[in-house]
Amino acid sequence: MSVKVAIVTGSNKGIGLAIVRALCKQFQGDVYITSRDVGRGEEAVKSLSSEGLNPKFHQLDINDLSSITAAAAFFKKKYGGVDILINNAGIAFKEGDQTPFAVQAEVILKTNFFATRDLLTHFLPLIKAGGRVVNVSSLWSAWALKDCSPALQQRFRSEDITEDELVRLMQRFVTESQKGKHKEDGWPEKAYGVSKTGLTTLSMIQARRLSKERPNDGILLNACCPGWVRTDMAGDKATKSPDEGAITPVYLALLPPGTTEPQGKFISEKEVQPW
């Protein structure tokens, strides 16, 4: 039997590290912390090792295409593919940050949507039969969707939206933000929310494609909200600990073999949410 492997992006701290901790306890296989910074990643490995756990580390910067392709080549060669992929890496600006909205829109979408899509482009072909892919989104994705124009809402919810169309919509949001015309174009004043609307919609598109192209492989791909979690990103007033935030992503990553649902859904508190 080949060794199974789970990868968590952006996992040297916060929710990502908590997900790795839970997987180390529950998943029968190797679990990888990945982060941009090698030093921080190795420190995270040490911290979990001190708890008696045994994670591994691989450098991965989702904003760097060469880092993505190097990691993909490593996991293909060493494991023949990937069993669990959790896309947790993401960024947000703090509430009250004075950075202009146009800049926030470009920076946030670059990581939360475009870089995550780049990673999925290279890693989805590596997902083994029975594999699980979890994209860590946010309830902000649903809230931002509700604040979009009816025409945009219709496209984001449609069963026939393509990945190319979604990419064009995300690019349009950034472009219109830079012109100061995103509201006129039907977009909300929520750059983080729009980035996650894109990620949740991407999850639905890719799940439909997997079901069509690899119908017998039993791969499940879903998006989820971990909740409001005490992290550097969300601040210390949030209601959940990182370990509590890890519960839903880990639940989706460990859906038992033979499970057919949920697939291409948006999940919060282990429950499918309306979209």
Side-chain angles (χ1 to χ4, degrees):
M1 283 286 289
S2 60
V3 177
K4 289 190 169 187
V5 62
I7 303 164
V8 186
T9 69
S11 51
N12 61 287
K13 62 180 182 178
I15 297 168
L17 186 63
I19 291 170
V20 171
R21 177 185 288 113
L23 288 175
C24 282
K25 294 173 181 176
Q26 298 175 56
F27 175 64
Q28 299 298 310
D30 291 345
V31 184
Y32 276 80
I33 290 172
T34 70
S35 67
R36 286 178 300 187
D37 185 281
V38 173
R40 287 178 189 163
E42 289 173 347
E43 279 301 311
V45 168
K46 277 186 200 162
S47 78
L48 290 188
S49 297
S50 72
E51 297 175 27
L53 303 173
N54 190 30
K56 297 180 181 293
F57 173 73
H58 199 283
Q59 193 276 341
L60 176 57
D61 178 357
I62 68 167
N63 280 300
D64 177 354
L65 210 48
S66 64
S67 175
I68 291 174
T69 54
F74 169 81
F75 287 106
K76 184 175 184 182
K77 184 178 180 187
K78 185 169 172 77
Y79 296 94
V82 175
D83 298 281
I84 292 173
L85 172 63
I86 301 184
N87 285 303
N88 167 75
I91 60 166
F93 285 80
K94 295 267 196 296
E95 204 174 335
D97 191 297
Q98 297 302 303
T99 305
F101 185 82
V103 176
Q104 291 198 24
E106 183 172 14
V107 169
I108 290 172
L109 266 79
K110 181 172 183 275
T111 294
N112 293 2
F113 180 77
F114 292 106
T116 303
R117 176 178 174 256
D118 285 341
L119 184 114
L120 283 159
T121 298
H122 287 85
F123 272 79
L124 274 187
L126 303 183
I127 303 299
K128 296 179 191 174
R132 304 287 181 254
V133 181
V134 183
N135 294 328
V136 179
S137 186
S138 167
L139 282 170
W140 278 100
S141 68
W143 298 336
L145 177 61
K146 284 177 187 161
D147 288 344
C148 287
S149 68
L152 285 171
Q153 289 188 43
Q154 191 273 326
R155 290 320 298 152
F156 285 124
R157 292 189 172 115
S158 75
E159 296 267 318
D160 63 2
I161 184 172
T162 64
E163 193 169 320
D164 286 344
E165 182 186 351
L166 177 62
V167 167
R168 288 195 298 273
L169 284 171
M170 293 289 103
Q171 288 168 335
R172 186 173 116 190
F173 170 68
V174 174
T175 301
E176 295 303 317
S177 298
Q178 287 166 341
K179 295 179 193 166
K181 294 190 172 175
H182 54 285
K183 286 185 178 173
E184 291 170 46
D185 196 41
W187 300 96
E189 192 83 2
K190 295 183 170 97
Y192 178 77
V194 170
S195 77
K196 294 298 192 176
T197 301
L199 180 59
T200 301
T201 306
L202 179 66
S203 305
M204 295 171 176
I205 292 167
Q206 293 188 334
R208 285 194 287 267
R209 196 167 74 223
L210 276 171
S211 295
K212 185 179 173 188
E213 294 176 0
R214 299 176 64 180
N216 301 317
D217 282 357
I219 298 167
L220 297 180
L221 186 158
N222 292 286
C224 71
C225 177
W228 192 27
V229 180
R230 291 187 293 277
T231 61
D232 289 351
M233 192 189 290
D236 55 8
K237 293 188 173 63
T239 50
K240 285 186 175 184
S241 69
D243 287 329
E244 289 168 332
I247 289 171
T248 293
V250 170
Y251 154 74
L252 290 170
L254 297 178
L255 287 166
T259 306
T260 57
E261 289 288 334
Q263 168 71 321
K265 299 289 192 269
F266 177 53
I267 319 289
S268 176
E269 307 295 347
K270 297 190 189 177
E271 296 286 334
V272 174
Q273 301 300 309
W275 183 245

